[in-house]
Amino acid sequence: MSDTSSRLRIVWIYPDLLSTYGDQGNVLILRRRAEQRGIPTEIVHVHSSDSVPVEGDIYLLGGGEDRPQILAAERLIADGGLKRAAARGACVFSVCAGYQIIGETYGDDDDKPLPGVGIIDIRSGRGATRAVGEIVADVDPSLGVGRITGFENHQGRTAIGAQATPLSTTVKGIGNDDHTEGAYQGQVLGTYLHGPALPRNPALADLLLRWRVGEIPPLPPSWGETLHEERLAAAL
Ligand code: GLN
């Protein structure tokens, strides 16, 4: 962990612009699963008028409508804090609009390419149809997460560049392009999954914690695992 107080610093970026479908639940479950292992946490809410602190451990970005998404990208680029944090190896977990804008480019409402923050090698544009509904995907086996589920609602489609790796193979739903879902590059990870994604997929939350603190003991199964199984059964 990065700071002198040895707390895991979780930074919630722009709740005023990027927070659809309960994505803030990602913050809450990360804190809970860290503290259940005796890892103290500090939650920092960064509104879009604030500068992004560079010394965080895990940065979270949620989904957003087209216009707030553009505003968020402009502010993040002008601020520079998230890019500096990623350059020093921080973990970034981003969802949908948040995923698109941390890439190299993304499409505005007319599909004009706009610059992203540029911390992951992906490019997004708009698809012919809107992807809406339950999504199921199998995560890259090297990450030890297994099958994930969520809810997707986006017009965007995402191409993964050579520096990034698809997060998962789509089993049901659209994700990036009908074949893969999400991407990661080092500890920068993006996904189209809402739900919110981390409460619905405790193993994905634990992946982020492992990246920051190393091996962590398993937790006894809780409502999170029950929810995961229930949503999987409902989706397939
Ligand atoms: N506006 C973006 C799209 O439609 C992201 C949507 C979202 O975050 N739910 O692709």
Side-chain angles (χ1 to χ4, degrees), residues 131-137 148-154 170-175 181 192-196 200-201 227-236:
V132 186
E134 290 293 302
I135 174 164
V136 176
I148 54 176
T149 80
F151 168 74
E152 64 179 337
N153 182 359
H154 54 100
T170 309
V171 175
K172 175 186 175 156
I174 305 292
E181 198 305 294
Y192 275 108
L193 269 59
H194 299 279
R200 271 179 69 156
N201 301 285
L227 176 65
H228 181 254
E229 293 306 320
E230 189 253 301
R231 296 317 303 160
L232 260 185
L236 291 177

Side-chain angles (χ1 to χ4, degrees), residues 18 20-21 23 62-67 69 95-100 106-107 124-127 130-131 151-157 192 194:
L18 299 174
T20 50
Y21 310 117
D23 286 336
E65 310 298 334
D66 293 348
R67 292 305 170 95
Q69 170 178 15
V95 176
C96 206
Y99 170 42
Q100 294 173 2
Y106 67 100
S124 301
R126 289 176 84 80
R130 203 160 178 87
F151 168 74
E152 64 179 337
N153 182 359
H154 54 100
Q155 192 81 29
R157 298 294 188 275
Y192 275 108
H194 299 279

